[in-house]
Amino acid sequence: MTLLSVPVIDLSPWFGGTPEGRAAVARAVDEACRSIGFLVITHHGIAPSLIERVSAASRTFFALPLEAKRRVDRPREDAVRGFSAVGEEGLSYSLEEKAPGDLKESFSIGPSDVPDDDYHRGPAAGAHFEPNRWPEVPDFREAYTEYFDAMSVLARELMRIFALALQLDERFFDDKIDEHISMFRVLSYPPQREAPLPGQLRAGAHSDYGSLTIVLPDDRGLQVFNKAGEWVDVPLVPGSLVVNIADLMMQWTNDQWVSTLHRVDNPPFETASTNRRQSLVFFHQPNYDAVVECLPSCLAPGESPKYAPVTSGDHLTSKFVKQTTFGGSKVAA
């Protein structure tokens, strides 16, 4: 059966620990990933108080004057850290599609407390362990760091569910994500007091780049392109998180799982001038030197891999530079 809408999956049987419960969750996740690439998870274990702290600190930061936010600007096009203003990125360019800049601003961090050794600081690491930048907002650094750590733990559990769903050892992905180069971004979509340009959205159609993404939106707008060729809304379920698989997981599974096109639509005209939306987004990305190639369990007899092997780090850098330079048409400052 192919799902045409995003399912809601309760993770409590997984954390309950019985083999039957864990297998049932893995089957449900497998069906969602094969059908639509998105799922809404409940009972995920993330504390509501931590979510509220991150949300509140983010609202305080994005309410600052632009000049103050510019003090923690993104340092370079290939360094995903700090602030990015409205219109400075175009997600559709990651798919070679031209469109006006996205109507969102963002603040991004990567791993903290990075060891000062060759693996993390040497030339091969590139910008993947770039130091974080921090604004002078109360509890901002503490809340963001704790949320990044909590998301890292949840992502590891999701990767173990994925492994079980793909008929692999439950710990198959563990050594490929133990030095992950993930990114936590808070996206702020300001009110639209002027009509968007033709083709301009809060976030243009795109797929995500890494293994999986964990999203907490505070309003409607996130839409998924299903296999019937329709844009469908992702349901807003109180206390839930949205999970989608991304490009590298699609490559790992030889397209058996889908990294689905999605976007953030503009609000209705009647409410656009007052509607502010915020999303907490954790982009899980394997170790920069993890080689992603077709999993043996995803290759039927007589089939060939659809993708050449690629490292996680090279894939991420290529995609993000296209996003921040508008496909190379924007000259770096």
Side-chain angles (χ1 to χ4, degrees):
M1 182 177 68
T2 297
L3 303 174
L4 296 179
S5 59
V6 179
V8 179
I9 298 176
D10 180 359
L11 292 191
S12 53
W14 175 266
F15 291 115
T18 67
E20 296 78 11
R22 294 166 77 85
V25 169
R27 284 194 300 273
V29 168
D30 180 54
E31 182 182 38
C33 293
R34 289 177 189 274
S35 296
I36 196 165
F38 269 72
L39 51 146
V40 171
I41 58 172
T42 59
H43 299 103
H44 42 68
I46 304 300
S49 58
L50 177 57
I51 291 172
E52 179 49 39
R53 284 174 56 205
V54 177
S55 300
S58 301
R59 286 193 291 269
T60 300
F61 172 74
F62 287 114
L64 294 173
L66 181 60
E67 180 183 355
K69 290 183 280 191
R70 284 291 193 201
R71 294 180 190 136
V72 285
D73 239 343
R74 188 179 63 228
R76 302 184 308 279
E77 268 71 16
D78 67 340
V80 195
R81 301 291 184 270
F83 174 67
S84 179
V86 173
E88 287 190 342
E89 296 178 0
L91 281 167
S92 62
Y93 281 85
S94 65
L95 297 177
E96 314 287 348
E97 297 288 339
K98 292 184 178 180
D102 296 332
L103 295 171
K104 68 176 188 337
E105 54 187 346
S106 65
F107 190 91
S108 306
I109 69 165
S112 301
D113 300 323
V114 176
D116 188 19
D117 56 27
D118 285 347
Y119 180 86
H120 298 87
R121 300 299 187 194
H128 299 309
F129 294 104
E130 182 83 8
N132 290 314
R133 313 197 71 185
W134 300 109
E136 294 180 3
V137 172
D139 197 38
F140 190 98
R141 178 171 184 164
E142 294 80 3
Y144 268 56
T145 302
E146 288 178 37
Y147 194 81
F148 187 99
D149 292 344
M151 285 291 109
S152 299
V153 172
L154 177 58
R156 186 185 61 198
E157 284 301 316
L158 290 167
M159 293 296 284
R160 289 176 178 174
I161 296 174
F162 286 2
L164 205 59
L166 293 166
Q167 312 299 314
L168 300 167
D169 182 273
E170 188 178 310
R171 303 296 177 101
F172 176 84
F173 293 110
D174 280 15
D175 64 353
K176 301 161 186 65
I177 60 171
D178 56 357
E179 297 286 353
H180 63 93
I181 53 172
S182 303
M183 174 177 57
F184 172 49
R185 305 191 95 187
V186 177
L187 306 175
S188 174
Y189 304 89
Q192 297 177 357
R193 298 191 172 89
E194 298 178 359
L197 298 171
Q200 191 171 35
L201 297 172
R202 281 184 151 173
H206 65 284
S207 59
D208 289 345
Y209 312 152
S211 45
L212 62 91
T213 304
I214 306 171
V215 188
L216 178 59
D218 69 354
D219 199 357
R220 299 184 185 281
L222 180 58
Q223 295 182 322
V224 178
F225 196 67
N226 68 16
K227 288 188 174 178
E230 302 167 329
W231 287 104
V232 295
D233 292 331
V234 175
L236 268 182
V237 179
S240 70
L241 295 167
V242 179
V243 175
N244 62 281
I245 71 160
D247 296 349
L248 291 183
M249 188 56 66
M250 187 168 176
Q251 295 190 31
W252 249 323
T253 62
N254 214 30
D255 288 359
Q256 290 190 13
W257 286 9
V258 289
S259 176
T260 309
L261 210 59
H262 53 285
R263 68 185 185 184
V264 180
D265 200 9
N266 294 322
F269 175 78
E270 299 77 24
T271 60
S273 64
T274 57
N275 180 275
R276 177 179 291 279
R277 184 180 186 274
Q278 182 169 280
S279 289
L280 314 184
V281 189
F282 183 77
F283 297 98
H284 187 246
Q285 186 82 23
N287 303 356
Y288 70 78
D289 56 353
V291 177
V292 177
E293 55 188 342
C294 180
L295 298 168
S297 62
C298 295
L299 198 63
E303 286 187 344
S304 300
K306 296 181 179 179
Y307 303 95
V310 64
T311 65
S312 165
D314 287 349
H315 178 79
L316 176 63
T317 300
S318 168
K319 288 284 189 177
F320 197 75
V321 169
K322 289 178 182 175
Q323 171 185 332
T324 56
T325 64
F326 294 79
S329 61
K330 174 185 172 186
V331 178

